[in-house]
Amino acid sequence: TESYHLRAVHGRSMAPVIETRGETVATFEGLGPHHLQTVAIADYWRRPWLDRHSLGADLAVTAKQLRIFHKYLIFPNIVANVMPYHLTVFRVYPLTPDTCRFHYEFHLRRGAPLLGKLRGWLTLLASLYVLREDFGVLLPFQAGVKAAGDQAIPTHREEQPLVYFHG
């Protein structure tokens, strides 16, 4: 869930569209056992125009709100990615110490114009590709954690949800 893996894992897919400089950079804050990560989307090819035309006229949002991506980590097993034009929800259910069931939902805004629906479906395809990149790293990572046994594993400050979960 942390943002520092973007360049290494998603260097060709997501990293180019995430804002890393300027007034809006990623934040990560604890909300009790829950966490909120806020990331700004960069102004890639015609994104501001796409944003304005992907929403219904009934939704009043600012240009800044259109470019913010909120990732809510809801303890113990839910991640909700929220943007004005779509919502994704991940739920992870442990099955054994080494396996889990991963449930993924993608929701489009009701009443979205045709461009918003098309953009949503393209975003779904991109999301599935990004998830494949994540799973390519997570499976070896899990094997490494298992091999470490009882050794302490240092974590980054953005990994507090993981620390909280293990605690």
Side-chain angles (χ1 to χ4, degrees), residues 2 4 14 18 24 37 58 86 88 90 97 124 136 149 164:
E2 38 55 44
Y4 66 87
M14 266 181 55
I18 301 297
T24 311
Q37 181 182 25
D58 61 330
H86 75 270
T88 57
F90 311 146
L124 171 60
Y164 190 89

Side-chain angles (χ1 to χ4, degrees), residues 22-79:
E23 79 227 28
T24 311
V25 295
T27 62
F28 204 80
E29 60 184 289
L31 305 165
H34 318 291
H35 286 76
L36 169 61
Q37 181 182 25
T38 302
V39 178
I41 307 300
D43 286 331
Y44 61 83
W45 179 84
R46 304 198 49 44
R47 190 202 49 80
W49 183 89
L50 283 169
D51 286 347
R52 282 192 309 278
H53 293 88
S54 294
L55 299 172
D58 61 330
L59 187 63
V61 293
T62 67
K64 185 175 180 179
Q65 289 170 323
L66 280 172
R67 63 188 303 246
I68 299 297
F69 173 88
H70 299 287
K71 180 183 289 271
Y72 294 91
L73 289 85
I74 303 166
F75 184 81
N77 67 334
I78 298 173
V79 175

Side-chain angles (χ1 to χ4, degrees), residues 60-127:
V61 293
T62 67
K64 185 175 180 179
Q65 289 170 323
L66 280 172
R67 63 188 303 246
I68 299 297
F69 173 88
H70 299 287
K71 180 183 289 271
Y72 294 91
L73 289 85
I74 303 166
F75 184 81
N77 67 334
I78 298 173
V79 175
N81 296 317
V82 181
M83 292 197 76
Y85 38 83
H86 75 270
L87 164 73
T88 57
V89 180
F90 311 146
R91 290 178 291 175
V92 182
Y93 299 95
L95 301 174
T96 71
D98 297 322
T99 62
C100 67
R101 183 168 41 103
F102 181 82
H103 187 263
Y104 176 80
E105 298 173 19
F106 188 91
H107 301 272
L108 294 175
R109 180 172 286 286
R110 181 177 290 161
L114 181 60
L115 180 62
K117 290 177 185 174
L118 176 61
R119 185 180 186 191
W121 288 110
L122 292 173
T123 301
L124 171 60
L125 292 175
S127 295

